[in-house]
């Protein structure tokens, strides 16, 4: 699907290790800027955690979770994943590319992938900023998680699922 300005996000598989740095920066920028509108600074600091210099572990996890990368004009602007157990663990879009359908494009390909891989039910733990996006893509609320804790700080999120 084209973004409102007509540019089509390209969705492609994560390339290890070349995409590690770009996806890492997208995630941190999305948390620090977009999610920061929905959480307190203490919560954002806990979610961010310490900055990593070595991205080996990050790269291995993205590679192992069937990550998809979104590009606009050849630049990585977002990524999402689909674990074999149906968990969509990551969904991040660079705020400079936000509101242009990048997350929708990523999740649309993930839905097709899930069908092709025989994964019937998708699940996620949606942040406050991601919840309306998942709802738009057919996910429904299983339970609010007001006590969800990240590095000792309460960072509420919502368990959601999408049935076929
Ligand atoms: C959540 C996030 C990935 C959304 O990315 P995005 O590319 O800006 O989202 P899209 O433009 O593709 O929006 C998808 C749909 O959700 C809708 N939507 C987005 N934000 C919304 C909001 N706050 N309220 C209602 N609908 C909303 C859009 O209108 C769109 O619907 P449409 O295509 O039917 O018009 C991005 O904001 C982000 O990275 N947030 C911070 C990190 C985060 O919380 N990640 C999730 C961890 S679980």
């Amino acid at each position: 699907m084209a973004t409102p300005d007509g540019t089509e996000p390209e969705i492609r598989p994560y390339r290890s290790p070349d995409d590690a740095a770009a996806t890492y920066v997208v995630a941190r920028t999305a948390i620090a800027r977009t999610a920061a509108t929905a959480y307190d600074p203490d919560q954002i600091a806990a979610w961010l955690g310490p900055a990593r210099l070595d991205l080996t572990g990050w790269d291995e996890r993205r590679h192992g979770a069937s990550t998809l990368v979104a590009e606009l004009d050849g630049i990585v602007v977002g990524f999402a994943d689909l674990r074999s157990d149906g968990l969509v663990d990551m969904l991040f879009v660079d705020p400079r590319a936000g509101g242009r359908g990048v997350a929708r494009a990523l999740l649309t390909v993930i839905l097709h992938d899930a069908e092709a891989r025989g994964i019937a039910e998708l699940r996620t733990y949606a942040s406050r900023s991601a919840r309306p996006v998942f709802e738009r893509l057919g996910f429904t609320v299983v339970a609010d998680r007001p006590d969800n804790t990240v590095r000792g700080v309460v960072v509420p999120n919502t368990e959601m699922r999408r049935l076929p």
Side-chain angles (χ1 to χ4, degrees), residues 3-163:
T3 60
D5 65 4
T7 313
E8 195 93 19
E10 186 203 338
I11 310 298
R12 60 161 178 82
Y14 179 90
R15 289 196 285 261
S16 173
D18 296 358
D19 290 326
T23 53
Y24 182 68
V25 169
V26 164
R28 289 187 77 82
T29 311
I31 295 166
R33 289 185 43 197
T34 312
T37 63
Y39 292 97
D40 295 337
D42 286 359
Q43 295 171 315
I44 293 300
W47 190 355
L48 282 170
R52 294 162 206 252
L53 296 177
D54 180 358
L55 294 181
T56 308
W58 171 270
D59 178 54
E60 286 170 359
R61 284 192 294 281
R62 302 292 75 74
H63 183 62
S66 305
T67 299
L68 293 169
V69 167
E71 286 186 359
L72 278 176
D73 299 326
I75 295 169
V76 173
V77 293
F79 68 100
D81 59 14
L82 175 60
R83 293 191 343 193
S84 52
D85 63 359
L87 183 70
V88 178
D89 192 30
M90 298 261 160
L91 174 65
F92 292 102
V93 172
D94 187 309
R96 286 163 292 196
R100 296 169 63 185
V102 174
R104 172 177 277 278
L106 283 162
L107 288 173
T108 299
V109 174
I110 279 178
L111 294 178
H112 286 131
D113 277 6
E115 200 176 333
R117 289 161 65 185
I119 300 171
E121 180 179 321
L122 301 189
R123 295 177 299 113
T124 196
Y125 297 101
S127 73
R128 287 174 180 155
S129 63
R131 176 175 163 165
V133 176
F134 281 107
E135 282 173 338
R136 290 289 287 169
L137 272 294
F139 285 69
T140 56
V141 171
V142 175
D144 284 319
R145 304 170 81 223
D147 302 326
N148 179 58
T149 300
V150 180
R151 297 184 182 91
V153 176
V154 172
V155 182
N157 62 11
T158 302
E159 183 179 357
M160 305 183 78
R161 68 175 175 177
R162 190 184 194 281
L163 299 171

